[in-house]
Amino acid sequence: MKDNVFLEDQKKFGLADYMNFDINGREHMGSTVPLAVYRLLEYSVREELTERFGREIQADIFRCAGRRAGRFFAETMLDMTLSYHAFMAQLQAQMAEMKIGVLRIEKYEEKTGKMVLTVSEDADCSGLPLLGEYVCNFDEGFIAEILSIYTGKYYIAEEVDCWATGDRVCRFCAEIKE
Ligand SMILES: [Zn+2]
């Protein structure tokens, strides 16, 4: 086998390296792809992981990947110094801008930090048939990590309603885990 000078180096690249792309590389195709392509990637990876490792590990991998994405999103696209209301407004605006979905804060308990958030027109699940399962594990991690970084406290988020369970929005309960 021919030596590959790039492999010899064994440099470990991270999310920030892969996200540091030059958009001019898609001169004619542009910076967006259809939702069907996003879901094709998402659900084929999901199916492969579920077949290999079972549903629970698949969900955990998606949740942890969501946390990585949330961290990147927070560090590169959000101003972490804003006050709570301004920060949430900014998060809503950025999630809409990136076409992730329409975020709403349904409840916020200042004392405990508990939150109920909804995402409608969610990129991951809106319009799916009734499958009877919660599919937005990636979003659970994504939301939890953004809240964790902003507050400095470790948040977890759980999806309690989803388009795939018959609702019209995805609803997430987020709370601080000591
Ligand atoms: Zn959902």
Side-chain angles (χ1 to χ4, degrees):
M1 210 174 83
K2 216 174 149 195
D3 286 343
N4 186 328
V5 288
F6 294 106
L7 286 180
E8 272 172 19
D9 199 359
Q10 291 291 316
K11 181 181 180 322
K12 210 170 161 243
F13 296 109
L15 191 51
D17 297 301
Y18 297 107
M19 292 302 292
N20 182 28
F21 52 80
D22 178 4
I23 197 56
N24 294 319
R26 299 236 322 164
E27 192 183 350
H28 304 294
M29 293 285 111
S31 62
T32 59
V33 293
L35 184 63
V37 176
Y38 172 84
R39 290 194 180 175
L40 188 60
L41 173 67
E42 174 177 15
Y43 286 100
S44 57
V45 170
R46 185 180 195 272
E47 191 170 279
E48 185 67 28
L49 289 173
T50 305
E51 274 183 26
R52 286 197 195 202
F53 305 115
R55 170 76 180 110
E56 216 167 291
I57 292 178
Q58 174 274 315
D60 193 49
I61 290 173
F62 265 56
R63 220 173 273 124
C64 293
R67 291 199 93 102
R68 286 175 188 267
R71 175 165 292 272
F72 180 82
F73 193 81
E75 286 171 352
T76 59
M77 296 178 201
L78 298 173
D79 178 355
M80 291 292 160
T81 64
L82 298 176
S83 66
Y84 174 79
H85 290 289
F87 178 76
M88 284 302 169
Q90 174 195 222
L91 181 57
Q92 279 171 330
Q94 281 292 46
M95 284 179 66
E97 164 87 20
M98 299 304 283
K99 301 203 185 297
I100 295 169
V102 182
L103 177 73
R104 286 209 171 79
I105 318 300
E106 265 188 1
K107 238 190 243 172
Y108 173 54
E109 252 182 55
E110 212 176 330
K111 225 169 108 187
T112 60
K114 269 190 192 170
M115 294 177 72
V116 179
L117 311 96
T118 62
V119 181
S120 54
E121 300 190 36
D122 189 297
D124 299 293
C125 73
S126 288
L128 281 185
L130 182 58
L131 303 171
E133 59 174 5
Y134 302 101
V135 298
C136 299
N137 307 112
F138 185 88
D139 306 44
E140 289 176 330
F142 184 80
I143 289 168
E145 187 67 12
I146 290 172
L147 296 176
S148 299
I149 294 174
Y150 176 64
T151 60
K153 294 181 176 132
Y154 189 77
Y155 263 88
I156 52 164
E158 188 190 358
E159 189 178 35
V160 294
D161 291 316
C162 182
W163 194 293
T165 64
D167 285 279
R168 299 299 256 181
V169 295
C170 298
R171 183 169 282 107
F172 300 91
C173 289
E175 60 181 353
I176 296 163
K177 204 177 171 194
E178 302 300 339

